[in-house]
Amino acid sequence: MAYDEALAERVRSALSGEDGVTERKMFGGIAFMVGGNMALGVRESDLMVRLGADDVEDALVQPHTRQAMMGERPMKGIILVSPETDLGAWIARGVAHARGLPAK
């Protein structure tokens, strides 16, 4: 499964000032790790955002979002965001969540 390289570049650009960002191939795409924890990813043509379990319900009522799935099962704490929307706030949320976790 390929991922949208142009979207990955948008994410890289948005993360350029962040410390401790690394990349790893995951979920058939690419994940952006902050402090060793997944914050964001690009899967096919969508932005994956990792959020706390309590934040997912609220996020899913926002425009251009949907639940991330692994096969037929929802991925806990991960949503997909369409690249047509302003991704800045979603990127910030994913980074903030990852920074709030213990570093690996």
Side-chain angles (χ1 to χ4, degrees):
M1 182 182 320
Y3 63 90
D4 184 336
E5 186 59 43
L7 178 56
E9 281 300 319
R10 285 174 64 189
V11 175
R12 284 183 192 105
S13 178
L15 295 174
S16 65
E18 291 287 336
D19 291 331
V21 175
T22 58
E23 296 181 23
R24 180 182 298 167
K25 292 189 186 273
M26 293 175 78
F27 308 118
I30 190 163
F32 297 89
M33 316 296 280
V34 175
N37 295 296
M38 182 189 151
L40 305 157
V42 176
R43 183 174 174 190
E44 296 181 2
S45 62
D46 292 307
L47 176 69
M48 295 177 71
V49 182
R50 183 175 179 197
L51 301 170
D54 295 340
D55 296 327
V56 170
E57 249 184 76
D58 174 58
L60 290 174
V61 299
Q62 303 302 315
H64 308 289
T65 64
R66 67 183 191 282
Q67 177 67 57
M69 305 292 286
M70 184 65 73
E72 294 183 21
R73 294 177 40 183
M75 296 175 73
K76 291 183 181 180
I78 299 178
I79 65 164
L80 298 175
V81 178
S82 172
E84 290 89 39
T85 191
D86 178 14
L87 299 178
W90 291 110
I91 291 170
R93 285 180 74 173
V95 169
H97 177 73
R99 290 225 182 272
L101 298 171
K104 293 183 178 180

